[in-house]
């Protein structure tokens, strides 16, 4: 695939890693003009190859565009080029990125994973089946430190399935309900697999984005009772989930991993920003490579809602089979979960002076209502905090 400009000036290596700066890894811009021109050229290349990939897969819209890459913090393109002694050729691309996915494991249980994904893969028609795809794929695996089985593949074509079978022996799929294909070995290799569902019926699930304060409130509620039938372990697990740093935030695929350098770097960064260039601070300030487990400096890396998923409402679900009882005598005004009656007194119990039921709690007698334990089922109704 040829372009109207000389791509050999942009891509010095046969395979280049490109993040959201739209500049290849290791690219050195002599000045601001050069950097801007280069991003425009790279954008044109990405759009053209992305279009060709979509056509090869029979898609109406390209999966890969320069805008998507520019606006993404965790997608990366590996572009394969060739120096043909003239203006150079583009041979293909491979796009990867992390996705937060709910997937079934071998037992049919739902798992929440933050998996590295193959999002787009294309080798020019004239050069397919010549081993180039393997070279490109291998390079990506090595750079990202991935194994083939830990990858989720987004809507793989028959060609790609055949490719993965042939080169990596990936043939046994774990059936999914979404468009992603994962293979045997996926869970064994998932560093960040997270199991949210303990069983199909019984769980206390919190979104991990709940803050500590909310978790502490829940815990203090629970600590008020002497008789818990939802195991305290569940609550502790809840807290643990909250305490753990979000693996969405420690994604090893980071387009800020690049080490693009400018001859007058700091000044250039400032001028980029002042020109309303689609400026990503981390792209230009961080020349170090960030790996999984590295300390993430929150001042340096900023993540949007889309990336962290924080726009989603946190929730607590108490399975209907679970029993929980609070011995809370007085109304503290919190307004979410309150049983304003003494421990052991059923909701249906009324005297001419007292009705112990409380408007803010919807409680129905369980089978054990009239036992000494006096359990009740609870439904939690939405509260701004949850
Ligand atoms: C998540 C996604 O990206 S899905 C979309 C995947 N992309 C496409 O389908 C676009 C069109 N296809 C291509 O661009 C390429 O064929 C790729 C990227 C899938 C593979 O790149 P290649 O350079 O052809 O791969 P490479 O030469 O290393 O390996 C060849 C193997 O790939 C598979 N393969 C490649 N082309 C074909 C084909 N036309 N039909 C069937 N299998 C094919 C085969 O297993 C083949 O081995 P074989 O020749 O012994 O049968």
């Amino acid at each position: 695939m040829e372009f109207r400009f000389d791509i050999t000036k942009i891509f010095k290596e046969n395979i280049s890693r490109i993040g959201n700066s739209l500049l290849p890894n290791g690219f050195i811009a002599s000045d601001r003009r050069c950097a801007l021109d280069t991003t425009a050229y790279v954008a044109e290349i990405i759009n053209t190859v992305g279009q060709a990939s979509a056509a090869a897969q029979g898609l109406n819209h390209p999966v890969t565009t320069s805008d998507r890459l520019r606006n993404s913090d965790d997608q990366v393109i590996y572009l394969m080029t060739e120096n043909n002694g003239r203006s150079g050729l583009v041979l293909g691309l491979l796009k990867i990125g992390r996705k937060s996915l709910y997937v079934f494991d071998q037992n049919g249980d739902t798992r929440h994973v933050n998996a590295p994904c193959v999002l787009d893969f294309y080798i020019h028609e004239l050069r397919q089946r010549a081993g180039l795809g393997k070279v490109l794929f291998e390079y990506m695996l090595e750079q990202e430190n991935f194994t083939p089985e830990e990858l989720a593949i987004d809507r793989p074509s028959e060609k790609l399935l055949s490719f993965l079978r042939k080169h990596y022996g990936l043939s046994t799929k774990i059936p999914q309900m979404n468009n992603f294909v994962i293979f045997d070995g996926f869970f064994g290799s998932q560093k960040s697999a997270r199991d949210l569902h303990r069983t199909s019926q019984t769980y206390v699930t919190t979104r991990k984005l709940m803050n500590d304060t909310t978790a502490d409130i829940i815990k203090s509620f629970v600590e008020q009772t002497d008789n818990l039938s939802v195991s305290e372990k569940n609550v502790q697990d809840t807290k643990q989930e909250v305490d753990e740093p979000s693996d969405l935030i420690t994604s090893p695929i980071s387009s800020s991993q690049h080490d693009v350098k400018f001859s007058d770097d700091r000044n250039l960064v400032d001028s980029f920003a002042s020109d309303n260039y689609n400026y990503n601070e981390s792209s230009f300030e961080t020349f170090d490579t960030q790996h999984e487990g590295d300390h993430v400096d929150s001042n340096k890396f900023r993540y949007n809602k889309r990336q962290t998923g924080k726009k989603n409402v946190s929730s607590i679900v108490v399975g209907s089979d679970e029993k929980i009882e609070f011995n809370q005598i007085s109304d503290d005004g919190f307004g979410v979960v309150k049983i304003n009656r003494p421990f052991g007194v059923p909701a249906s119990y009324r005297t001419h002076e007292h009705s112990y039921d409380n408007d803010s709690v919807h409680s129905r007698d369980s089978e054990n209502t009239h036992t000494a334990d006096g359990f009740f089922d609870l439904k939690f109704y939405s509260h701004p905090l949850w």
Side-chain angles (χ1 to χ4, degrees):
M1 199 177 274
E2 278 185 287
F3 286 84
R4 62 189 172 86
F5 43 84
D6 186 354
I7 66 161
T8 61
K9 293 204 169 99
I10 304 171
F11 305 107
K12 302 295 178 199
E13 309 291 336
N14 286 342
I15 301 178
S16 304
R17 187 180 191 275
I18 306 170
N20 61 7
S21 70
L22 299 191
L23 291 170
N25 244 15
F27 181 82
I28 300 174
S30 54
D31 54 27
R32 179 182 161 223
R33 178 81 264 150
C34 167
L36 287 174
D37 286 350
T38 305
T39 56
Y41 290 144
V42 172
E44 185 174 331
I45 292 169
I46 288 171
N47 290 334
T48 307
V49 187
Q51 193 69 54
S53 178
Q57 297 172 57
L59 304 175
N60 292 331
H61 302 288
V63 176
T64 302
T65 66
S66 59
D67 278 349
R68 279 196 192 169
L69 182 63
R70 185 182 273 136
N71 293 321
S72 159
D73 291 322
D74 61 2
Q75 292 186 358
V76 164
I77 286 178
Y78 285 88
L79 195 78
M80 189 175 225
T81 56
E82 185 176 79
N83 191 336
N84 59 354
R86 297 194 301 277
S87 58
L89 296 171
V90 174
L91 301 180
L93 67 71
L94 172 58
K95 183 167 85 162
I96 56 161
R98 275 203 178 259
K99 295 266 178 202
S100 175
L101 300 173
Y102 288 87
V103 288
F104 294 127
D105 64 15
Q106 296 90 336
N107 304 319
D109 287 336
T110 312
R111 305 273 292 261
H112 181 203
V113 294
N114 184 28
C117 302
V118 175
L119 303 172
D120 200 6
F121 190 18
Y122 170 73
I123 295 290
H124 192 273
E125 279 74 5
L126 296 177
R127 306 297 287 272
Q128 286 176 18
R129 285 189 134 154
L132 292 180
K134 172 97 185 298
V135 171
L136 185 54
F137 206 83
E138 286 283 309
Y139 185 85
M140 177 276 293
L141 292 177
E142 191 189 318
Q143 292 293 306
E144 307 292 338
N145 198 19
F146 291 152
T147 57
E149 57 275 8
E150 77 181 290
L151 298 166
I153 320 290
D154 189 5
R155 271 172 294 189
S157 64
E158 281 308 314
K159 291 181 185 181
L160 182 52
L161 289 172
S162 169
F163 171 93
L164 294 169
R165 194 166 46 243
K166 172 180 171 152
H167 294 304
Y168 302 105
L170 297 177
S171 54
T172 312
K173 296 181 203 165
I174 302 173
Q176 300 300 320
M177 289 289 281
N178 55 29
N179 290 324
F180 284 83
V181 167
I182 60 175
F183 294 93
D184 236 8
F186 176 84
F187 291 101
S189 58
Q190 274 287 305
K191 298 152 194 135
S192 55
R194 181 182 289 275
D195 189 351
L196 288 187
H197 292 208
R198 288 177 177 79
T199 72
S200 53
Q201 288 187 328
T202 306
Y203 54 87
V204 174
T205 301
T206 66
R207 299 296 304 241
K208 59 188 166 187
L209 303 165
M210 279 172 59
N211 59 32
D212 279 347
T213 314
T214 313
D216 287 339
I217 291 167
I218 298 163
K219 197 156 193 308
S220 69
F221 264 124
V222 173
E223 280 168 352
Q224 289 179 49
T225 182
D226 296 322
N227 191 348
L228 288 176
S229 11
V230 168
S231 73
E232 198 149 6
K233 179 177 181 311
N234 278 358
V235 177
Q236 281 162 357
D237 287 349
T238 299
K239 179 81 162 74
Q240 193 182 339
E241 283 183 4
V242 170
D243 283 343
E244 282 172 13
S246 164
D247 44 18
L248 296 174
I249 294 176
T250 56
S251 161
I253 302 175
S254 168
S255 52
S256 61
Q257 277 179 313
H258 64 78
D259 51 2
V260 177
K261 295 181 179 66
F262 300 89
S263 49
D264 56 348
D265 46 30
R266 188 61 246 180
N267 293 338
L268 185 65
V269 170
D270 291 341
S271 60
F272 265 62
S274 65
D275 277 9
N276 287 333
Y277 176 78
N278 195 343
Y279 167 69
N280 180 322
E281 192 177 346
S282 63
S283 303
F284 295 96
E285 279 199 347
T286 309
F287 295 149
D288 313 326
T289 300
Q290 182 205 346
H291 291 291
E292 191 178 31
D294 281 0
H295 173 68
V296 177
D297 182 345
S298 58
N299 292 326
K300 213 173 243 182
F301 296 89
R302 298 194 184 94
Y303 296 89
N304 57 29
K305 286 185 177 179
R306 181 173 50 77
Q307 192 186 0
T308 61
K310 283 190 179 178
K311 66 186 172 190
N312 297 327
V313 178
S314 301
S315 63
I316 294 182
V317 181
V318 178
S320 60
D321 285 355
E322 289 293 348
K323 312 289 190 296
I324 186 166
E325 182 161 334
F326 299 98
N327 185 18
Q328 183 181 324
I329 307 299
S330 63
D331 186 337
D332 65 356
F334 185 64
V336 179
V337 182
K338 287 180 283 193
I339 296 179
N340 195 14
R341 63 176 178 274
F343 174 68
V345 177
S348 53
Y349 182 75
R350 285 180 173 78
T351 69
H352 62 281
E353 288 172 348
H354 292 293
S355 166
Y356 288 112
D357 213 350
N358 187 304
D359 285 350
S360 62
V361 170
H362 295 255
S363 168
R364 65 180 166 77
D365 291 357
S366 71
E367 289 168 11
N368 297 325
T369 298
H370 302 296
T371 69
D373 292 336
F375 292 131
F376 296 93
D377 298 329
L378 294 186
K379 289 179 183 167
F380 287 62
Y381 282 80
S382 66
H383 181 278
L385 260 178
W386 294 358

